[in-house]
Amino acid sequence: MDFSLTEAERRTLLETARRSIAARFEGTRLPLPAATPALGTPCGAFVTLKIDGRLRGCIGHITAAAPLLETVRDVALSSAFDDPRFPPLALDELARVAIEISVLSPFRRTRDPAEIRVGTHGILVRRGGRSGLLLPQVATEQGWGREEFLVHTCRKAGLPDDAWRDPDTAIEIFSAVVFGEEG
């Protein structure tokens, strides 16, 4: 992936995510800071929220539809308030939330699952109108090998565990710049 972020840009993205969520509680919308060239580059991104190490929300955009700074603001709000797996974040939870941001590389289709490097690649599987995506860090966090990673990505898509073996299932890989707050 030929994309990198400086420490200052990473801090700007993390602050934008947190301040956007806080602004929603105040009934306002955060004005975005000036964007560096990297922060103005259209990129897909995910924002993951955790409390005490447990998932509290995770939403992202896989396509590069808007500048990175806007994407992070928007998906931070979606992660906090629109993830269907969780109730909307409560104000008293905000101080305990740790934010992690994953900036995605372009996706590349692979026909050889052996190309997948656990801890480096994320996976997107698609078949018959269904799709599932897992970020690169998920396999490492869960202690999965390549095959388990593929199985869990298929499950997320609502496909059979072995759907990744079917030639009609598209497997795409990507990498990510992943950074976040402690917590």
Side-chain angles (χ1 to χ4, degrees):
M1 184 169 165
D2 294 333
F3 184 82
S4 63
L5 296 166
T6 66
E7 284 304 313
E9 289 167 333
R10 291 173 186 218
R11 275 193 310 275
T12 296
L13 290 171
L14 288 165
E15 288 169 8
T16 297
R18 181 167 295 284
R19 291 177 61 218
S20 294
I21 295 167
R24 172 71 64 88
F25 285 116
E26 297 165 1
T28 63
R29 185 168 170 93
L30 179 73
L32 291 174
T36 64
L39 298 182
T41 300
C43 287
F46 277 72
V47 171
T48 303
L49 306 179
K50 292 183 180 180
I51 295 178
D52 300 326
R54 298 178 69 174
L55 184 64
R56 182 58 179 84
C58 182
I59 300 283
H61 292 219
I62 64 171
T63 56
L68 178 57
L69 199 54
E70 289 179 37
T71 298
V72 166
R73 176 196 59 202
D74 295 346
V75 298
L77 291 169
S78 294
S79 294
F81 303 108
D82 301 325
D83 187 326
R85 298 170 294 180
F86 302 97
L89 192 72
L91 179 58
D92 66 344
E93 293 178 296
L94 182 58
R96 299 185 357 243
V97 165
I99 298 173
E100 180 179 85
I101 298 173
S102 302
V103 180
L104 310 185
S105 74
F107 288 64
R108 178 175 60 82
R109 186 162 181 173
T110 182
R111 298 196 186 285
D112 182 5
E115 276 189 74
I116 298 166
R117 293 191 319 260
V118 172
T120 299
H121 292 128
I123 304 173
L124 171 66
V125 295
R126 301 178 199 244
R127 187 175 85 193
R130 294 184 175 270
S131 65
L133 178 143
L134 289 175
L135 296 168
Q137 61 270 35
V138 173
T140 304
E141 290 169 356
Q142 298 300 318
W144 296 336
R146 179 184 302 120
E147 200 164 307
E148 286 175 292
F149 194 19
L150 284 157
V151 165
H152 284 279
T153 309
C154 290
R155 285 181 185 166
K156 187 158 184 194
L159 296 170
D161 288 0
D162 64 349
W164 62 274
R165 297 179 189 275
D166 186 327
D168 291 334
T169 300
I171 301 172
E172 297 178 57
I173 59 175
F174 61 95
S175 59
V177 175
V178 181
F179 54 96
E181 304 169 332
E182 295 299 316

